[in-house]
Amino acid sequence: MGILERIRRQFLSPPAARAFCALTAEGVVVFDRRSRQSAFCPWTEQAFCPGFDTENVLQPAAFAALLRQAAQTAGLAAERRWSVVLPGATARMHVVTLDAATRWQDVPEVLLWKTERLTGLASAEVWMAAAELPRTVAGERRFLISVMNRRVALDLQAHLQRLGWQPGLLLPNLICESLWFQRPTEHANQMLISVEADTLAVMLLSRGSPTAIRTLPLAGEAPDEQLLRLLLFFREHAVESGLPAADTAMHFTVLAINTPLNPVEIRQCVAETFGETPSLIEPQQLGFASPMEFGRLAAIGGLALETS
């Protein structure tokens, strides 16, 4: 079974609906998978504030009014089944490696233990979904996990259900953006560079399968220096990042979303680290008119593409 099927069965189950909603720090974006129509409404009254340990909906009435307005504008007012994309500050994702000898019946307990260490949450507070990835060269088991604070997840679900919505999917922004790499490609090595709020995230993938994820705050340092720092970490920890030896040149296909860096700066950072100038995917290649439009719709567009 390939990674796409695993993600479909374990992350995208129940099946995704016609209506998609992305909650961001700036506002709500809704998208109709059939008509390809979208709408954006900025938050008012500080209705929504992403956070991992705190309730995200601060003004329930304003939150509900904005979501209803966006759905109506996109022609989705009558829809009940929704797939919801969440900010990275609310829902996090990690690539977790388990010892090759780990028995299948022990996997849930080991994943939960590792999740507690990664997030600082107690086991009773963990809301997690997991999908198994291809094993490492050494035979270690690898999993892609999506994690939320259970209290935050249940609160958010309750607010959506009060709208009459049935939120079948609650997925982190980054995993939805990475789904653009599920399309067939001749390039094995892929890289997603994404900026959300003040956080830079880089995901490495091999033929659509995530191998490593790292994030850094952008505040206080130039974006190109932060990107270079993340890439050098991957290079210096090549085995853990699913990469060949550190002295091996590598060519990457790169997708950059909402980054303050221009293509020249991105190419320089990647080439300096991995020894080859990467290929950059332009928004127009994916059917978007501009980087701004793609930045707003990248997550729900990737999710809609893989669940259609």
Side-chain angles (χ1 to χ4, degrees), residues 207-231:
R207 299 193 185 280
S209 173
T211 59
I213 304 167
R214 294 284 292 179
T215 61
L216 273 180
L218 283 175
E221 196 167 353
D224 60 334
E225 294 177 357
Q226 292 290 64
L227 174 59
L228 191 59
R229 179 181 297 181
L230 278 182
L231 298 182

Side-chain angles (χ1 to χ4, degrees), residues 95-302:
V95 174
V96 176
T97 302
L98 276 58
D99 186 86
T102 304
R103 299 180 304 172
W104 180 252
Q105 58 265 38
D106 296 331
V107 166
E109 182 179 351
V110 178
L111 282 180
L112 183 59
W113 177 75
K114 292 213 169 199
T115 300
E116 292 177 89
R117 291 171 61 92
L118 286 167
T119 64
L121 295 174
S123 59
E125 299 174 311
V126 172
W127 177 289
M128 177 178 62
E132 187 167 12
L133 303 170
R135 295 198 181 210
T136 66
V137 175
E140 298 166 308
R141 305 187 83 138
R142 296 168 56 252
F143 291 83
L144 178 64
I145 61 172
S146 168
V147 186
M148 292 181 69
N149 182 308
R150 179 176 294 274
R151 173 174 49 83
V152 173
L154 292 175
D155 179 72
L156 188 53
Q157 273 195 339
H159 284 288
L160 295 172
Q161 289 168 349
R162 290 188 193 107
L163 292 168
W165 292 13
Q166 300 171 15
L169 300 175
L170 292 172
L171 293 174
N173 181 77
L174 196 66
I175 191 173
C176 297
E177 292 176 339
S178 74
L179 291 173
W180 287 102
F181 282 122
Q182 296 293 342
R183 303 187 309 168
T185 177
E186 60 189 42
H187 301 297
N189 305 312
Q190 300 154 326
M191 181 185 301
L192 172 63
I193 303 173
S194 178
V195 172
E196 186 181 358
D198 62 350
T199 300
L200 168 68
V202 178
M203 177 192 292
L204 302 185
L205 306 95
S206 176
R207 299 193 185 280
S209 173
T211 59
I213 304 167
R214 294 284 292 179
T215 61
L216 273 180
L218 283 175
E221 196 167 353
D224 60 334
E225 294 177 357
Q226 292 290 64
L227 174 59
L228 191 59
R229 179 181 297 181
L230 278 182
L231 298 182
L232 287 172
F233 176 89
F234 288 134
R235 196 52 148 165
E236 291 167 2
H237 298 80
V239 175
E240 298 95 319
S241 302
L243 300 174
D247 58 352
T248 304
M250 298 184 66
H251 178 271
F252 280 90
T253 299
V254 176
L255 179 62
I257 303 172
N258 284 328
T259 68
L261 301 171
N262 62 48
V264 172
E265 292 172 315
I266 293 173
R267 288 189 176 95
Q268 287 176 342
C269 289
V270 177
E272 182 177 339
T273 308
F274 294 103
E276 286 196 22
T277 301
S279 301
L280 264 61
I281 301 174
E282 299 293 338
Q284 291 80 2
Q285 295 174 252
L286 302 177
F288 294 88
S290 67
M292 181 178 296
E293 180 191 33
F294 181 54
R296 181 167 289 175
L297 295 173
I300 50 180

